[in-house]
Amino acid sequence: MSLGELSKWEKRLEEALKSPFKIYRLDNILRDMRDAYDLQNPKNHRELKFYRKAEQHLLDAEVA
């Protein structure tokens, strides 16, 4: 993932966190990340780090 791609994902995450449909949008981000990247590959550490960040936001939103 290039820095440009990362910034697009970050922007999408920020928009999801502001949305009234936060859980739905976060779930879509996670699904799209799984489809777009091989998260099992250790070379994709940047992708995995972002995925875990989005996953934590989803867990926080579900608890709230």
Side-chain angles (χ1 to χ4, degrees):
M1 175 186 317
S2 70
L3 291 177
E5 287 176 289
L6 180 60
S7 67
K8 288 179 185 178
W9 284 105
E10 287 282 350
K11 183 177 178 185
R12 189 170 167 195
L13 178 61
E14 288 174 21
E15 291 171 357
L17 293 174
K18 295 176 185 175
S19 171
F21 306 105
K22 185 185 308 187
I23 293 173
Y24 175 75
R25 292 187 67 184
L26 288 168
D27 192 46
N28 283 342
I29 290 171
L30 294 175
R31 186 192 67 233
D32 292 346
M33 288 286 298
R34 285 190 303 267
D35 291 345
Y37 302 103
D38 178 14
L39 298 174
Q40 301 297 323
N41 186 341
K43 292 180 181 178
N44 294 334
H45 63 277
R46 212 182 269 168
E47 292 85 346
L48 185 59
K49 184 176 177 182
F50 180 82
Y51 181 87
R52 296 227 190 276
K53 179 180 176 179
E55 190 175 47
Q56 186 60 48
H57 282 295
L58 178 62
L59 291 173
D60 293 345
E62 288 175 340
V63 171

